Amino acid sequence: MADTFTIHLKIWRQDGPDKPGKLVDYTLDNVNEHMSFLEMLDVLNEQIVAEGREEPVEFDYDCREGICGSCNLMINGRAHGPKAMTCTCQLHMRNYSDGDTIVIEPFRAKGFPVIKDLIVDRSAFDRIIEAGGYVSVKTGSAPDANSIPVDKSVADTAFDYATCIGCGACVAACPNSSASLFTGAKLAHLNRLPQGEPERKRRTVAMVEQMDKEGFGDCSNYAECEAVCPKGISISAIAEMRRNYVKAALAGDEV
Amino acid sequence: MASFLQALKSQVGRKILTGVTGVGLIIFIIFHLATNLQVFGDVHAFNEAAYALESMGWLLYILEAGLAVAFLLHAYVGISIWWRRRKARPRGYEKYQSKGGPSHVTWASKSMIFTGIVLLVFLIIHLDTFKFADPGTVILPGGGEARDLKALMLATFQQPIYAFGYTAVMILLGFHLGHGFWSAFTSLTMKHNRYSALIYAAGIVFALLMAVGFLFIPLYIYFGGGCEAALIQCQ
Amino acid sequence: MKLDSKVPSGPLEDKWSKHLKDIKLVAPNNKRNHDIIVVGTGLAGGSAAASLAELGYNVKSFCIQDSARRAHSIAAQGGINAAKNYPNDGDTIWRLFYDTIKGGDYRSRESNTYRLAQISNEIIDQAVAQGVPFAREYGGLLANRSFGGAQVSRTFYARGQTGQQLLLGAYQAMMRQVHEGNIEMHTRHEMLDLVVAGGKARGIVTRDLVSGEIRRWMADAVVLASGGYGNAFYLSTNAKNSNVTAAWRCHKRGAGFANPCYVQIHPTCIPVSGDYQSKLTLMSESLRNDGRVWVPEKKGDDRHPNDIPEEDRYYYLEEKYPAFGNLVPRDVASRNAKIVCDEGMGVGPTGRAVYLDFADAIERDGRKTISEKYGNLFEMYENITGDNPYEEPMRIFPAVHYTMGGLWVDYNLMSNIPGLFVAGEANFSDHGANRLGASALMQGLSDGYFIIPYTIGNYIADADIDEIDTGHEAFDEAAENAQQHIDKLLSVKGDKSVIDFHRELGQIMWDKVGISRSEEGLKQAIREIRALRKEFWENVRVPGEASNFNKYLEFAGRVADFLELGELMAEDALHRDESAGCHLRKEHQTEEGEALRNDEEYAYVAAWEFKGVNGELQEKLHKENLEFEFVELKQRSYK
Ligand SMILES: Cc1cc2nc3c(=O)[nH]c(=O)nc-3n(C[C@H](O)[C@H](O)[C@H](O)COP(=O)(O)OP(=O)(O)OC[C@H]3O[C@@H](n4cnc5c(N)ncnc54)[C@H](O)[C@@H]3O)c2cc1C
Ligand code: HEM
Ligand code: SF4
Ligand code: FES
């Protein structure tokens, strides 16, 4: 059995949306290298519950295998922690050693208000998709799936962008709190497919506008989003979003 | 057209504006540097170049007006982006660090607003020192009577405050361009995974060239003792 | 409780089209006057909500997660089946139907399974039109791959993220309807009770997971698409929030729970590493194409696997099943892994794992080829375990993966409570006693896009739905019921954590209601679960308050329900005195250890009716006999 070791934690605790918050210190003595980061927090919570002095730490998760996009922690100042292409739930304690101190904060942005402790409200992302992140096809009205061939490289690139899990790390890590990578990824997925082409301009303009409305910052091309994105989505998506946006604006389409 | 102007106000529009104006300014400073380097040329080369510009008449005014608009627009949008950024994260992190890898979070990119504002302040001083000053005139071999900017320049950069002040600002310009060059490409939608690293590297080289090009002159004049300097021929 | 499957008469191929022809329609402008509640935003719920809203109904949609896009369906990896026959390898609707019903060991309804195969093709069309980026060939047409239990290549896939891409398609279709104002979306809302008024499902009661508020929602029909109940085992491949609560509370309101004991156990998962373990990660089944499964022949041989010579290794699948070898179906592979570990040959620190070895494949095909095929899986494995599968064999063990059982539904996917429709993994419908790979996605989407939108119209057009409001006594009663349940959980203030109870329940379930079951073990499981449930209500500690975000409280409610469901699962497994598919009773196996069915006595769906819980769970068994008019029942063999 692997040895256990000690970890010091500084965790953001905040009772509710409008309550003040602060970092609180905890120490865990029985951390095992095979634990996932979230399992380490589970163990902490069990300890807190057993002691009964305060409420357990709230944090979001569901699949715990890096696909649902629920987990979202700022770990020592980095969204999803130190490893590239990795979600918080896929991070393992073997990346830490005895005596380390880890600061854990929620994803912070005006567009992601804190609900409690480390849990934030990411519904702004839903509203961005709602604005146009779809192909308007009614159930039952689709032609045969093979009636429109799609160049394999186009389909593959569309897939790359479609892998976004909507975690919000891009916003959290961006010095400007921009949601451009998330928005750009959905646009880059749908806009390049023949199925998405007819609505390309309308979709781009609508989603960009919604992103603005939600209070996310501008994109200054820092590319920090790409560095923290657990799916490694490229900021080329953002450039492409701009291209389509300008085309739509130049065409004088209703925006 | 109305919708196009509307579009410029959006997030994407703002970036297009910084990009377009940024590129405009880049083109301007390339010309500016080229002109400046004339001081190493023939005795009259520098003043002739300045004279040629001034003789363009209304065309020059249009160019200058365009430049002024670009500068102001660039500064305005740059400041508004910074302002919005502060509002977009009302409460900052207790601890924040970049994840590295493809990230371009560097001192240069984080300090665009700082280097930009320094450039703006510098610009005002710069215009006051050169553009709106009266350096006296000189008769060019071609017959025209030109402002003796060369003499003014030589005199100015003999003063340590100007020589070193300019040098410092030019280093900051280098940083501004270090992120700005690459950023403008991306803002203007020219971003391709394959060439991205190349453009970024080109940006750094360009920034270095510009900074060194500009700061070379004041330092050279200062340490070279102005007219006595080997490469600069004076009257 | 009356079970009427309402299967239309006539030849198998014509049943659905005939039914569609006979179905009553709701006038377009009248649909706006009908509210429909959809619980769940997975493939089933998401597709149902989107399609119903497109038709013009007022849809109210609910999910636990903070966004509809995060439903557990997102995690499905392998693919989705359809009988398109694009590869021209002779696939037909009949074959897909036949493979599914045979894979299910002849314990599903012929008519439903056939309809599933019929609809499968439309699903692919729909998904592609939505922009789902399925894998393609160089010619630009869709690619297929083969999957367990079939001899044709009929699985459509999007790398290892098929569920994600399909779910995003459905989610986006939903968001479009939210935009149009046809769907009212309520995320972070957990359904805690079903409201039955005048004998019909008329609404639900939810807890707002952020504010803790108990809220009432009324509708003319309720669609339940709340997923499976694999988390009764605590450790499973399911997402942490997957639960049985919504379905169980419907069951307590009178909905029959069918075949609760049918649980699928996936053979290739990463084994448990310690008691802090919170979930198990699936490793794609495709690994068995090149990996060889073995254990050391000597018990307790603690040499490093690379140091164990060939002659001391036991390649048990290859030896026992020379024809299929490492590629036997999921249930057979899982069962055998358990057998060797029970015999003491298991490996790893816990002794509950077997080796999946790629050394031969790497030697044969080269490391590059293997890495092209499985690179991302190898990385995932290394990330979780810290071991490098290129250098040493992987350790794998079976894990609970999917539940074939669920609420009983008729051909219209309506439960025995009028107005309560059940879709996706939450119903018992199409997979019998074992589900084939790549068919859950197919079923969820078929239910949601193409079946419920029609059958619900038929119900609404026909039913006499009274005018009531949320002040109705049935709402009062349900809301009070939900509130009391929460208050009770918080008032116990015991010493033992919710997680400990869940883990203990899981251990009982895994040991005695898991891969193989016996009369004695099941009886003991029932006793242990009862005792644990009693202890739970006396000694559980739920921290925090009801009026704030409180995950422990959410989990406590779900564990309380699992503690009841667990008993029913054991009860059902005990009563089913045969083996079928994933349900293996030690008493009933062939000489080779295969499931031995008893078609004479057990060719039926067991639907349980809740009668109360009072120390013991009281449930009444109802049987829906399965008639096989079109296929012949056979013993499965993979030798
Ligand atoms: C790791 C893994 C891989 C898989 N791979 C495949 C595969 O390759 N091919 C395949 O065909 N199948 C696969 N499956 C199975 C398949 O993914 C599921 O069976 C299917 O997605 C279930 O869909 P669903 O819509 O019924 O439920 P889910 O997707 O589980 O959705 C349930 C929904 O109900 C909501 N909900 C639950 N309870 C409540 C409540 N009380 N109140 C409000 N809302 C509630 C949830 O929030 C969620 O939105 C896989 C499963 C797993 C675990
Ligand atoms: C010679 C003068 C200048 C040049 C050559 C220049 C060049 C550039 C370039 C090329 C960019 C990148 C544009 C983009 O991201 O799309 C940029 C960005 C920026 N510039 Fe300048 N600039 C100059 C002066 C200024 C001034 C006076 C300011 C005043 C505040 C300023 C502030 C900024 C800011 C804040 C940005 C970053 C915009 C963002 O965050 O997206 N710059 N500049
Ligand atoms: S783009 Fe990447 S970081 Fe941003 S939400 Fe999507 S997956 Fe997360
Ligand atoms: S918990 Fe699902 S991605 Fe991390």
Side-chain angles (χ1 to χ4, degrees), chain A residues 137-248:
Chain A
V137 52
K138 277 197 169 191
T139 305
S141 60
D144 182 84
N146 259 349
S147 60
I148 309 175
V150 181
D151 186 329
K152 181 169 161 41
S153 67
V154 170
D156 285 350
T157 322
F159 178 88
D160 289 338
Y161 289 121
T163 56
C164 164
I165 59 175
C167 61
C170 43
V171 171
C174 175
N176 292 5
S177 314
S178 170
S180 293
L181 191 63
F182 169 79
T183 310
K186 184 43 59 194
L187 287 167
H189 160 211
L190 294 175
N191 283 350
R192 63 171 20 73
L193 289 172
Q195 289 82 4
E197 166 61 27
E199 292 171 288
R200 181 167 53 87
K201 290 190 215 152
R202 206 196 59 76
R203 173 186 305 122
T204 309
V205 170
M207 287 176 71
V208 165
E209 267 180 10
Q210 189 63 35
M211 167 174 91
D212 254 340
K213 270 192 221 146
E214 299 290 346
F216 294 111
D218 301 67
C219 166
S220 293
N221 304 321
Y222 288 110
E224 183 66 23
C225 51
E226 181 175 329
V228 299
C229 175
K231 299 296 147 186
I233 289 173
S234 159
I235 61 162
S236 296
I238 300 177
E240 196 175 305
M241 167 174 85
R242 291 175 176 146
R243 188 152 62 238
N244 279 314
Y245 187 84
V246 172
K247 278 189 196 157

Side-chain angles (χ1 to χ4, degrees), chain B residues 48-60:
Chain B
E48 273 171 345
Y51 182 69
L53 271 177
E54 277 175 23
S55 340
M56 282 162 68
W58 57 270
L59 193 60
L60 179 68

Side-chain angles (χ1 to χ4, degrees), chain A residues 46 49 62 94 126 186 189, chain C residues 65 171-172 383 541 552:
Chain A
E46 288 291 271
V49 173
D62 197 15
R94 76 177 63 87
D126 283 335
K186 184 43 59 194
H189 160 211
Chain C
Q65 293 80 2
Y171 158 76
Q172 286 161 201
N383 184 31
R541 168 180 297 194
Y552 266 88

Side-chain angles (χ1 to χ4, degrees), chain C residues 461-529:
Chain C
D462 233 10
D464 229 342
I465 299 170
D466 302 332
E467 282 286 331
I468 57 167
D469 60 29
T470 54
H472 188 277
E473 55 183 13
F475 276 94
D476 289 342
E477 197 262 323
E480 258 162 53
N481 185 30
Q483 187 63 56
Q484 275 168 10
H485 198 256
I486 289 172
D487 295 344
K488 204 169 138 197
L489 286 167
L490 285 165
S491 67
V492 180
K493 296 195 176 11
D495 295 326
K496 197 159 145 182
S497 146
V498 176
I499 312 237
D500 286 336
F501 279 104
H502 198 175
R503 202 182 281 124
E504 276 177 38
L505 171 67
Q507 198 62 51
I508 301 172
M509 298 298 293
W510 180 249
D511 290 342
K512 307 187 177 86
V513 199
I515 296 179
S516 68
R517 303 149 171 191
S518 68
E519 182 181 339
E520 191 195 300
L522 290 165
K523 284 186 171 154
Q524 200 185 336
I526 292 173
R527 281 194 300 274
E528 287 174 13
I529 295 169

Side-chain angles (χ1 to χ4, degrees), chain B residues 25 28-29 31-33 35-36 46 53 64 67 71 117-135 147 149 152-154 156-157 161-163 165-167 169-170 173 214-215 217-218:
Chain B
L25 295 176
F28 161 68
I29 60 168
F31 275 101
H32 195 332
L33 181 59
T35 318
N36 285 2
F46 184 73
L53 271 177
E64 281 182 346
L67 192 60
F71 242 110
I117 287 177
V118 169
L119 285 173
L120 194 63
V121 173
F122 164 79
L123 177 75
I124 296 166
I125 299 171
H126 182 61
L127 288 178
D128 183 59
T129 319
F130 289 101
K131 176 109 187 149
F132 300 118
D134 181 9
R147 293 168 72 221
L149 279 170
L152 178 61
M153 178 157 127
L154 290 170
T156 308
F157 291 138
I161 170 103
Y162 278 98
Y166 266 63
T167 303
V169 172
M170 289 309 117
L173 171 71
F214 276 112
L215 66 77
I217 300 171

Side-chain angles (χ1 to χ4, degrees), chain A residues 219-221, chain B residues 15 18-19 22 25-26 29 71 74-75 78-79 81 112-113 116-117 119-120 173 176-177 180-181 183-184 187:
Chain A
C219 166
S220 293
N221 304 321
Chain B
K15 281 309 291 183
T18 30
L25 295 176
I26 284 180
I29 60 168
F71 242 110
H74 185 83
I79 292 169
I81 287 176
M112 292 301 273
I113 186 67
I117 287 177
L119 285 173
L120 194 63
L173 171 71
H176 199 78
L177 291 173
F181 184 90
S183 178
S187 295

Side-chain angles (χ1 to χ4, degrees), chain C residues 165-369:
Chain C
Q165 295 309 317
L166 288 168
L167 183 63
L168 291 181
Y171 158 76
Q172 286 161 201
M174 262 184 97
M175 287 296 116
R176 174 170 162 248
Q177 293 305 316
V178 172
H179 187 65
E180 306 272 320
N182 299 331
I183 297 182
E184 211 181 278
M185 186 69 232
H186 302 281
T187 61
R188 293 206 203 266
H189 273 67
E190 179 166 17
M191 167 179 168
L192 292 182
D193 210 346
L194 177 75
V195 179
V196 183
K200 298 191 178 72
R202 292 305 305 278
I204 61 170
V205 168
T206 62
R207 176 166 180 270
D208 178 333
L209 299 179
V210 174
S211 68
E213 193 191 342
I214 300 291
R215 301 173 72 177
R216 307 161 179 214
W217 309 91
M218 200 187 58
D220 298 330
V222 175
V223 178
L224 194 84
S226 53
Y229 51 87
N231 277 352
F233 290 78
Y234 183 60
L235 291 181
S236 80
T237 62
N238 288 9
K240 292 297 287 175
N241 287 306
S242 297
N243 68 90
V244 77
T245 291
W248 190 252
R249 309 269 168 111
C250 291
H251 175 55
K252 286 180 137 179
R253 290 276 170 203
F257 207 116
N259 300 335
C261 79
Y262 291 160
V263 177
Q264 183 171 74
I265 294 176
H266 198 289
T268 45
C269 300
I270 298 179
V272 177
S273 67
D275 54 9
Y276 47 78
Q277 185 102 17
S278 60
K279 80 154 276 170
L280 295 170
T281 304
L282 179 80
M283 299 292 291
S284 168
E285 209 169 355
S286 61
L287 288 171
R288 284 195 285 139
N289 282 315
D290 284 297
R292 296 180 69 194
V293 179
W294 64 274
V295 287
E297 209 156 30
K298 258 202 322 260
K299 286 180 195 176
D301 186 342
D302 54 8
R303 281 178 288 177
H304 188 276
N306 293 352
D307 298 333
I308 301 181
E310 206 55 26
E311 63 271 17
D312 292 347
R313 297 177 175 194
Y314 178 27
Y315 293 92
Y316 58 90
L317 289 179
E318 294 172 18
E319 284 184 27
K320 281 185 167 170
Y321 308 93
F324 275 70
N326 294 300
L327 286 173
V328 291
R330 289 178 181 177
D331 50 343
V332 180
S334 296
R335 213 171 283 146
N336 280 284
K338 178 173 165 19
I339 293 173
V340 291
C341 291
D342 286 348
E343 286 171 4
M345 289 180 274
V347 299
T350 57
R352 307 300 298 171
V354 299
Y355 290 127
L356 180 62
D357 199 337
F358 293 88
D360 290 348
I362 291 172
E363 200 176 305
R364 185 187 62 225
D365 302 338
R367 185 175 164 138
K368 190 158 163 279
T369 312

